[in-house]
Amino acid sequence: MNGSMNTQLGNIMIDPEAIAQYAGSVAVECFGIVGMASVNVKDGLVKLLKKDSITHGIAVNIVNNKLILDFHVIVAYGVSIVTVSDNLISNVKYKVEHFTGLEIENINIFVEGVRVID
């Protein structure tokens, strides 16, 4: 389902893939986030995604024109997961709401792994 807004000039439809791409770029800018993760359910393996496939670690659901975002992330070793998650939530909420004009109802963060940063 697309996000939609009615304006005096017409309708605006936003594809969830565009929202995921923007939200992913905001997420990887946050301190303590190494990158987005792809989870292979069959094998239980977690893989760090490259920049060009960043949207695979994000699920965007639009319900009643409100966003629900799920992030599968890999965090840096030695950082507070709670602090990183709070930072991620506040940055994504602020920037995505201003980018799309849609309200974020919920942000879920799934920490799929920890990686040492060189």
Short mmCIF file of all heavy atoms in Angstrom, two decimals, residues 44-80:
data_model
loop_
_atom_site.label_atom_id
_atom_site.label_comp_id
_atom_site.label_asym_id
_atom_site.label_seq_id
_atom_site.Cartn_x
_atom_site.Cartn_y
_atom_site.Cartn_z
N GLY A 44 19.35 -19.09 9.22
CA GLY A 44 19.57 -18.30 10.42
C GLY A 44 20.81 -17.43 10.32
O GLY A 44 21.36 -17.01 11.33
N LEU A 45 21.26 -17.14 9.10
CA LEU A 45 22.45 -16.34 8.90
C LEU A 45 22.11 -14.87 8.75
O LEU A 45 21.09 -14.51 8.18
CB LEU A 45 23.21 -16.80 7.65
CG LEU A 45 23.74 -18.23 7.69
CD1 LEU A 45 24.33 -18.60 6.34
CD2 LEU A 45 24.76 -18.39 8.79
N VAL A 46 22.98 -14.02 9.27
CA VAL A 46 22.82 -12.58 9.16
C VAL A 46 23.94 -12.05 8.29
O VAL A 46 25.10 -12.41 8.48
CB VAL A 46 22.87 -11.91 10.55
CG1 VAL A 46 22.82 -10.40 10.42
CG2 VAL A 46 21.73 -12.41 11.42
N LYS A 47 23.60 -11.19 7.33
CA LYS A 47 24.59 -10.65 6.41
C LYS A 47 24.51 -9.13 6.41
O LYS A 47 23.41 -8.57 6.38
CB LYS A 47 24.31 -11.20 5.01
CG LYS A 47 25.28 -10.76 3.96
CD LYS A 47 25.04 -11.50 2.65
CE LYS A 47 24.09 -10.70 1.81
NZ LYS A 47 23.89 -11.21 0.48
N LEU A 48 25.66 -8.48 6.49
CA LEU A 48 25.72 -7.03 6.39
C LEU A 48 25.46 -6.63 4.94
O LEU A 48 26.10 -7.14 4.03
CB LEU A 48 27.10 -6.52 6.83
CG LEU A 48 27.33 -5.02 6.78
CD1 LEU A 48 26.41 -4.30 7.75
CD2 LEU A 48 28.78 -4.70 7.11
N LEU A 49 24.49 -5.74 4.75
CA LEU A 49 24.13 -5.34 3.39
C LEU A 49 25.00 -4.21 2.89
O LEU A 49 25.41 -3.34 3.66
CB LEU A 49 22.66 -4.89 3.36
CG LEU A 49 21.63 -5.97 3.65
CD1 LEU A 49 20.26 -5.35 3.84
CD2 LEU A 49 21.60 -6.99 2.54
N LYS A 50 25.26 -4.18 1.60
CA LYS A 50 25.99 -3.10 0.98
C LYS A 50 25.05 -1.92 0.81
O LYS A 50 23.83 -2.05 0.88
CB LYS A 50 26.55 -3.54 -0.37
CG LYS A 50 27.54 -4.65 -0.22
CD LYS A 50 28.12 -5.03 -1.56
CE LYS A 50 28.98 -6.17 -1.31
NZ LYS A 50 29.93 -6.73 -1.82
N LYS A 51 25.63 -0.76 0.56
CA LYS A 51 24.85 0.47 0.43
C LYS A 51 23.77 0.39 -0.64
O LYS A 51 22.70 0.95 -0.48
CB LYS A 51 25.78 1.65 0.10
CG LYS A 51 26.78 1.95 1.16
CD LYS A 51 26.25 2.90 2.15
CE LYS A 51 27.36 3.30 3.11
NZ LYS A 51 26.89 3.80 4.34
N ASP A 52 24.01 -0.32 -1.74
CA ASP A 52 23.04 -0.37 -2.83
C ASP A 52 21.85 -1.28 -2.53
O ASP A 52 20.83 -1.21 -3.22
CB ASP A 52 23.71 -0.77 -4.14
CG ASP A 52 24.43 -2.10 -4.06
OD1 ASP A 52 24.67 -2.58 -2.94
OD2 ASP A 52 24.75 -2.65 -5.13
N SER A 53 21.94 -2.12 -1.51
CA SER A 53 20.81 -3.00 -1.17
C SER A 53 20.32 -2.74 0.25
O SER A 53 19.85 -3.63 0.94
CB SER A 53 21.20 -4.46 -1.34
OG SER A 53 22.31 -4.77 -0.53
N ILE A 54 20.44 -1.50 0.68
CA ILE A 54 20.11 -1.12 2.05
C ILE A 54 18.63 -1.32 2.39
O ILE A 54 18.29 -1.57 3.54
CB ILE A 54 20.54 0.35 2.27
CG1 ILE A 54 20.71 0.62 3.75
CG2 ILE A 54 19.56 1.33 1.67
CD1 ILE A 54 21.45 1.90 4.03
N THR A 55 17.76 -1.27 1.41
CA THR A 55 16.32 -1.37 1.69
C THR A 55 15.90 -2.78 2.10
O THR A 55 14.82 -2.94 2.65
CB THR A 55 15.49 -0.93 0.47
OG1 THR A 55 15.84 -1.75 -0.64
CG2 THR A 55 15.73 0.52 0.13
N HIS A 56 16.74 -3.78 1.88
CA HIS A 56 16.37 -5.14 2.27
C HIS A 56 16.35 -5.33 3.77
O HIS A 56 15.75 -6.27 4.27
CB HIS A 56 17.33 -6.16 1.62
CG HIS A 56 17.24 -6.20 0.13
ND1 HIS A 56 16.10 -6.62 -0.53
CD2 HIS A 56 18.12 -5.84 -0.81
CE1 HIS A 56 16.31 -6.53 -1.83
NE2 HIS A 56 17.53 -6.05 -2.03
N GLY A 57 17.00 -4.44 4.51
CA GLY A 57 17.00 -4.52 5.97
C GLY A 57 15.90 -3.71 6.62
O GLY A 57 15.85 -3.57 7.83
N ILE A 58 14.99 -3.16 5.79
CA ILE A 58 13.92 -2.30 6.31
C ILE A 58 12.58 -2.76 5.74
O ILE A 58 12.46 -2.99 4.55
CB ILE A 58 14.15 -0.83 5.90
CG1 ILE A 58 15.50 -0.35 6.42
CG2 ILE A 58 13.03 0.06 6.43
CD1 ILE A 58 15.90 0.99 5.89
N ALA A 59 11.60 -2.87 6.62
CA ALA A 59 10.23 -3.16 6.19
C ALA A 59 9.38 -1.93 6.46
O ALA A 59 9.42 -1.37 7.56
CB ALA A 59 9.68 -4.37 6.93
N VAL A 60 8.64 -1.50 5.46
CA VAL A 60 7.76 -0.34 5.59
C VAL A 60 6.32 -0.80 5.42
O VAL A 60 5.98 -1.39 4.39
CB VAL A 60 8.08 0.74 4.53
CG1 VAL A 60 7.10 1.90 4.62
CG2 VAL A 60 9.52 1.23 4.68
N ASN A 61 5.51 -0.55 6.41
CA ASN A 61 4.08 -0.83 6.33
C ASN A 61 3.33 0.48 6.53
O ASN A 61 3.70 1.28 7.39
CB ASN A 61 3.64 -1.83 7.41
CG ASN A 61 4.25 -3.20 7.18
OD1 ASN A 61 4.14 -3.76 6.10
ND2 ASN A 61 4.92 -3.72 8.19
N ILE A 62 2.31 0.68 5.72
CA ILE A 62 1.50 1.89 5.83
C ILE A 62 0.08 1.47 6.18
O ILE A 62 -0.58 0.78 5.40
CB ILE A 62 1.52 2.70 4.52
CG1 ILE A 62 2.97 3.05 4.16
CG2 ILE A 62 0.67 3.96 4.66
CD1 ILE A 62 3.15 3.66 2.80
N VAL A 63 -0.35 1.86 7.37
CA VAL A 63 -1.69 1.52 7.85
C VAL A 63 -2.41 2.82 8.22
O VAL A 63 -1.92 3.58 9.06
CB VAL A 63 -1.61 0.58 9.08
CG1 VAL A 63 -2.99 0.25 9.60
CG2 VAL A 63 -0.84 -0.68 8.75
N ASN A 64 -3.54 3.06 7.59
CA ASN A 64 -4.31 4.29 7.82
C ASN A 64 -3.44 5.54 7.66
O ASN A 64 -3.50 6.47 8.46
CB ASN A 64 -4.96 4.27 9.21
CG ASN A 64 -5.96 3.16 9.35
OD1 ASN A 64 -6.63 2.78 8.39
ND2 ASN A 64 -6.05 2.61 10.55
N ASN A 65 -2.61 5.52 6.63
CA ASN A 65 -1.71 6.63 6.29
C ASN A 65 -0.69 6.93 7.39
O ASN A 65 -0.21 8.06 7.51
CB ASN A 65 -2.49 7.88 5.91
CG ASN A 65 -2.26 8.26 4.48
OD1 ASN A 65 -1.74 7.47 3.69
ND2 ASN A 65 -2.62 9.47 4.13
N LYS A 66 -0.37 5.94 8.22
CA LYS A 66 0.68 6.06 9.23
C LYS A 66 1.72 4.99 8.96
O LYS A 66 1.40 3.89 8.54
CB LYS A 66 0.11 5.92 10.63
CG LYS A 66 -0.81 7.07 11.01
CD LYS A 66 -1.25 6.95 12.44
CE LYS A 66 -2.18 8.11 12.78
NZ LYS A 66 -2.62 8.04 14.16
N LEU A 67 2.98 5.34 9.21
CA LEU A 67 4.07 4.43 8.90
C LEU A 67 4.44 3.55 10.08
O LEU A 67 4.48 4.01 11.22
CB LEU A 67 5.32 5.24 8.51
CG LEU A 67 5.21 6.12 7.27
CD1 LEU A 67 6.46 6.97 7.12
CD2 LEU A 67 5.01 5.26 6.03
N ILE A 68 4.74 2.31 9.78
CA ILE A 68 5.34 1.37 10.74
C ILE A 68 6.62 0.88 10.08
O ILE A 68 6.58 0.29 8.99
CB ILE A 68 4.39 0.20 11.06
CG1 ILE A 68 3.09 0.72 11.66
CG2 ILE A 68 5.07 -0.80 11.99
CD1 ILE A 68 2.01 -0.34 11.79
N LEU A 69 7.75 1.16 10.72
CA LEU A 69 9.05 0.82 10.15
C LEU A 69 9.74 -0.23 11.01
O LEU A 69 9.80 -0.11 12.23
CB LEU A 69 9.95 2.07 10.09
CG LEU A 69 9.40 3.28 9.33
CD1 LEU A 69 10.33 4.46 9.48
CD2 LEU A 69 9.21 2.94 7.87
N ASP A 70 10.27 -1.27 10.37
CA ASP A 70 11.06 -2.30 11.02
C ASP A 70 12.48 -2.22 10.48
O ASP A 70 12.69 -2.29 9.26
CB ASP A 70 10.51 -3.70 10.74
CG ASP A 70 9.14 -3.93 11.36
OD1 ASP A 70 8.77 -3.18 12.28
OD2 ASP A 70 8.45 -4.86 10.92
N PHE A 71 13.45 -2.06 11.37
CA PHE A 71 14.86 -1.98 11.00
C PHE A 71 15.58 -3.22 11.51
O PHE A 71 15.47 -3.56 12.68
CB PHE A 71 15.54 -0.75 11.63
CG PHE A 71 15.12 0.54 11.02
CD1 PHE A 71 13.99 1.21 11.47
CD2 PHE A 71 15.87 1.12 10.01
CE1 PHE A 71 13.61 2.42 10.92
CE2 PHE A 71 15.50 2.32 9.45
CZ PHE A 71 14.36 2.97 9.91
N HIS A 72 16.34 -3.87 10.64
CA HIS A 72 17.21 -4.98 11.02
C HIS A 72 18.63 -4.43 10.88
O HIS A 72 19.09 -4.19 9.75
CB HIS A 72 16.99 -6.20 10.12
CG HIS A 72 15.61 -6.77 10.27
ND1 HIS A 72 15.33 -7.76 11.16
CD2 HIS A 72 14.44 -6.45 9.67
CE1 HIS A 72 14.04 -8.05 11.10
NE2 HIS A 72 13.48 -7.26 10.20
N VAL A 73 19.30 -4.21 12.03
CA VAL A 73 20.57 -3.51 12.01
C VAL A 73 21.70 -4.33 12.62
O VAL A 73 21.47 -5.27 13.37
CB VAL A 73 20.48 -2.15 12.76
CG1 VAL A 73 19.47 -1.23 12.10
CG2 VAL A 73 20.14 -2.36 14.23
N ILE A 74 22.91 -3.92 12.27
CA ILE A 74 24.11 -4.42 12.91
C ILE A 74 24.75 -3.23 13.61
O ILE A 74 24.92 -2.17 12.99
CB ILE A 74 25.07 -5.04 11.87
CG1 ILE A 74 24.40 -6.26 11.24
CG2 ILE A 74 26.40 -5.41 12.52
CD1 ILE A 74 25.19 -6.91 10.14
N VAL A 75 25.04 -3.38 14.90
CA VAL A 75 25.59 -2.28 15.68
C VAL A 75 27.08 -2.47 15.91
O VAL A 75 27.61 -3.58 15.79
CB VAL A 75 24.86 -2.12 17.04
CG1 VAL A 75 23.40 -1.78 16.84
CG2 VAL A 75 25.02 -3.35 17.90
N ALA A 76 27.74 -1.38 16.25
CA ALA A 76 29.18 -1.41 16.52
C ALA A 76 29.43 -2.04 17.88
O ALA A 76 28.66 -1.84 18.83
CB ALA A 76 29.74 0.01 16.48
N TYR A 77 30.50 -2.78 17.98
CA TYR A 77 30.90 -3.42 19.23
C TYR A 77 31.27 -2.35 20.26
O TYR A 77 31.95 -1.38 19.95
CB TYR A 77 32.10 -4.34 18.99
CG TYR A 77 32.63 -4.98 20.25
CD1 TYR A 77 32.00 -6.07 20.81
CD2 TYR A 77 33.74 -4.44 20.90
CE1 TYR A 77 32.47 -6.66 21.97
CE2 TYR A 77 34.22 -5.02 22.06
CZ TYR A 77 33.57 -6.12 22.60
OH TYR A 77 34.04 -6.67 23.75
N GLY A 78 30.78 -2.51 21.47
CA GLY A 78 31.16 -1.63 22.57
C GLY A 78 30.25 -0.44 22.79
O GLY A 78 30.47 0.33 23.72
N VAL A 79 29.24 -0.26 21.95
CA VAL A 79 28.31 0.85 22.16
C VAL A 79 27.08 0.36 22.91
O VAL A 79 26.77 -0.83 22.91
CB VAL A 79 27.88 1.50 20.82
CG1 VAL A 79 29.07 2.08 20.09
CG2 VAL A 79 27.13 0.52 19.94
N SER A 80 26.38 1.28 23.53
CA SER A 80 25.15 0.94 24.23
C SER A 80 24.03 0.76 23.20
O SER A 80 23.70 1.69 22.46
CB SER A 80 24.77 2.05 25.21
OG SER A 80 23.44 1.89 25.66
#
